[in-house]
Amino acid sequence: MTSQVSSPAEQADEAVVGEQRKPAGTKDVRRLDRVIIRFAGDSGDGMQLTGDRFTSETASFGNDLSTLPNFPAEIRAPAGTLPGVSSFQLHFADHDILTPGDAPNVLVAMNPAALKANIGDLPRGAEIIVNTDEFTKRALQKVGYETSPLDDGSLDGYSLHPVPLTTLTVEALKEFDLTRKEAERSKNMFALGLLSWMYHRPTEGTEKFLKSKFAKKPDIAAANIAAFRAGWNFGETTEDFAVSYEIAPATTAFPVGTYRNISGNLALSYGLVAASRQADLPLFLGSYPITPASDILHELSKHKNFGVRTFQAEDEIAGIGAALGAAFGGSLAVTTTSGPGVALKSETIGLAVSLELPLLIVDIQRGGPSTGLPTKTEQADLLQAMFGRNGEAPVPVIAPRTPADCFDAALEAARIALTYRTPVMLLSDGYLANGSEPWRIPELDELPDLTVQFAQGPNHTLEDGSEVFWPYKRDPQTLARPWAIPGTPGLEHRIGGIEKEDGTGNISYAPANHDFMVRTRQAKIDGIEVPDLEVDDPHEAKTLVLGWGSTYGPITAAVRRLRNAGESIAQAHLRHLNPFPRNLGVVLGRYEKVVIPEMNLGQLATLVRAKYLVDAHSYNQVNGMPFKAEQLAKALKEAIDG
């Protein structure tokens, strides 16, 4: 990182050491304004659990935070190999932050594979805590180390802390009736205890969590708690860790309210439940498990008390078919999936367009094509969401920008679906789904009123004066057709995928009617009311960076760096991708240069260039990981100067 693009508001790569003081004991305590920690080990070493617990305690302490879990697609990749490395990165600070950080200040490496897979991301001077017990000759050879990096001087530029984590854990648990293999499984809790001491994290929540998690196995719970406490005590007593660190709560970073740590998938689940309550409709989820969307199914299955019904179907097609049937029956209907599942659901999405029923299609994007990279992130389903159906089948598309924003995006998707009687695509991605940040729990009076009115009786008068129900007679403002619950006397009507006659809903092959219905369905989507695009431009810049979805954090961090370095750049971020905000064309026309960073090969840029004839410049990445702020700042600086 260079000072040219760093700022006090977002120096995502390095911890700044501030005031240093000495407590009553013999060890120094240094105050930092931020730190980035990465836990790494085998996929069976519990790195995701370790990171999650450290994150929870950090959230309870009051720091702002952002996380990046990163794990293999295999359920259990070969132990000790590079493809089997699982990691969890946490960036926390005493002020507001936007990303999980570009490079860790601290790496906890549980074996040689974890060290080799992550060492390239560390800046010089970073701290490395390694489990020396795993650095055996066989383990080193497995990942291509000819000599041990702990002894050959290759780590001299780092602050190395060799710790026999496995031995210390087994020794701490010798009083328990456990085999050595069982005791070794708690080494992640020893590491968690050590890091909790090192950064003054609370401990009560973790001990309570372990008691709850292993409630049916109290001996295992006690052993894990003992390992956790042993790690804390080791940090307190060993001479190798002469310094611990304090990162004060982010007291000025957030508006007043009650906060909790939340992941994108959890926030989206809560948003769906809130939408169903605000609409006074039962929530139905028809889904087939698929990474990284499955957690939504898992979470919603816990909330039957809120009128939620979840159905794990035999395949993707059955999942959306059941959801569309639930929509016909009067439920707030949802189906969740990822890109490959969207492909399978496309015919039924087209059927929902034809039937003009509210349906939420939640696509948690991942690397593709086909099965692709199931556990890595990407934004490459935008054009599929826009056009991935036969015929003219327009669907509204919206995208959240942060994990917490997934809650609001779910409510907005429900508003559009219910108001305009249309399927809606919600595009999250793996980065948002698995990442987490603080979320202010909203008050009930802050939630939108999503109440809907079902058709109750006849809505049309024939020439002979008789009153009838026309299922495709539209609201003049929204162009939405009536929502008639099956079984309501007098409201019987025909449904299906064959073209309907305007008004009556009878099957029609008339060319003029088909032309009218196609144009009407498009006009309904084009007429959806969405907020104008807000532009952050304090200095009347000549360059605009335009983003969508999860690029918000890295883009905003990069913009902060550039402005702190004296550069003038404007920023805008799209939530509504179909239809676009009505002022988007005017906004684009105000700038000499428009740069669009995307985790694809330029899909939004393609849409913007086609619709507005703007020479938008793409900056693209498709490596399965989110952008780094420093990387974007450099690219944007080149765009400004070019």
Side-chain angles (χ1 to χ4, degrees), residues 66-192:
S66 179
T67 68
L68 178 62
N70 186 16
F71 42 87
E74 291 79 12
I75 294 175
R76 187 67 174 94
T81 64
L82 293 175
V85 173
S86 174
S87 68
F88 188 104
Q89 183 163 307
L90 166 66
H91 181 194
F92 60 103
D94 64 4
H95 55 272
D96 74 305
I97 56 174
L98 297 156
T99 74
D102 287 0
N105 308 115
V106 182
L107 171 67
V108 180
M110 303 298 282
N111 60 21
L115 178 64
K116 188 164 189 177
N118 292 281
I119 190 66
D121 292 337
L122 268 63
R124 288 293 179 175
E127 296 196 70
I128 304 175
I129 301 172
V130 295
N131 179 14
T132 56
D133 289 326
E134 296 297 321
F135 279 69
T136 63
K137 183 177 181 180
R138 184 170 182 272
L140 291 166
Q141 291 175 341
K142 191 178 290 188
V143 294
Y145 279 128
E146 294 183 3
T147 60
S148 174
L150 307 185
D151 305 320
D152 63 10
S154 60
L155 301 179
D156 286 351
Y158 305 94
S159 177
L160 181 65
H161 301 279
V163 180
L165 288 172
T166 306
T167 300
L168 291 171
T169 302
V170 172
E171 178 66 20
L173 302 184
K174 62 183 180 180
E175 64 184 68
F176 293 87
D177 187 20
L178 300 173
T179 65
R180 180 180 176 85
K181 187 174 182 180
E182 290 171 334
E184 288 179 358
R185 290 175 183 162
S186 296
K187 62 180 180 290
N188 63 324
M189 288 297 105
F190 188 99
L192 178 60

Side-chain angles (χ1 to χ4, degrees), residues 516-599:
F516 177 82
M517 292 295 278
V518 167
R519 295 180 187 275
T520 300
R521 287 189 289 261
Q522 184 65 58
K524 180 173 70 169
I525 304 307
D526 292 341
I528 292 173
E529 289 290 334
V530 303
D532 279 349
L533 180 66
E534 296 182 359
V535 183
D536 177 17
D537 185 5
H539 301 112
E540 297 185 0
K542 295 181 180 180
T543 300
L544 170 71
V545 54
L546 179 69
W548 70 277
S550 66
T551 57
Y552 173 78
I555 289 175
T556 306
V559 167
R560 286 182 178 182
R561 293 181 177 200
L562 289 169
R563 289 177 180 170
N564 185 68
E567 301 291 345
S568 180
I569 187 168
Q571 178 187 0
H573 208 78
L574 289 166
R575 162 172 284 180
H576 297 88
L577 298 155
N578 192 33
F580 285 130
R582 284 171 172 73
N583 69 331
L584 177 56
V586 174
V587 168
L588 294 172
R590 294 205 301 257
Y591 296 93
E592 295 179 6
K593 299 176 183 177
V594 177
V595 183
I596 303 179
E598 300 181 77
M599 293 188 293

Side-chain angles (χ1 to χ4, degrees), residues 255-446:
V256 175
T258 301
Y259 287 80
R260 60 156 294 167
N261 182 52
I262 201 165
S263 68
N265 274 350
L266 183 57
L268 207 156
S269 300
Y270 287 175
L272 293 172
V273 174
S276 75
R277 294 299 81 209
Q278 293 303 105
D280 195 23
L281 297 174
L283 178 65
F284 180 90
L285 174 66
S287 183
Y288 180 76
I290 183 172
T291 301
S294 300
D295 284 343
I296 302 172
L297 171 61
H298 301 159
E299 181 60 34
L300 289 179
S301 68
K302 303 175 185 177
H303 297 291
K304 296 180 178 65
N305 55 316
F306 287 113
V308 178
R309 180 170 294 176
T310 54
F311 169 57
Q312 180 175 323
E314 64 268 31
D315 55 41
E316 295 280 4
I317 298 172
I320 191 173
L324 185 56
F328 179 57
S331 293
L332 176 59
V334 185
T335 190
T336 53
T337 189
S338 190
V342 175
L344 292 166
K345 296 177 189 291
S346 61
E347 183 181 4
T348 307
I349 297 172
L351 177 59
V353 171
S354 175
L355 298 182
E356 300 190 47
L357 287 171
L359 174 67
L360 305 186
I361 303 101
V362 177
D363 176 6
I364 312 297
Q365 300 166 95
R366 71 191 205 188
S370 188
T371 310
L373 304 174
T375 60
K376 309 301 180 184
T377 196
E378 206 162 89
Q379 288 183 297
D381 294 351
L382 176 56
L383 294 183
Q384 181 184 32
M386 290 287 291
F387 307 119
R389 294 162 294 282
N390 64 294
E392 297 286 346
V395 169
V397 181
I398 70 170
R401 62 186 190 179
T402 68
D405 188 49
C406 290
F407 177 87
D408 295 315
L411 286 164
E412 176 65 357
R415 177 191 74 85
I416 293 173
L418 295 171
T419 302
Y420 296 90
R421 309 285 197 268
T422 177
V424 176
M425 294 282 294
L426 192 158
L427 296 181
S428 179
D429 61 44
Y431 172 38
L432 296 183
N434 296 317
S436 62
E437 66 177 353
W439 171 59
R440 187 181 70 85
I441 302 173
E443 301 293 335
L444 285 177
D445 58 9
E446 296 174 347

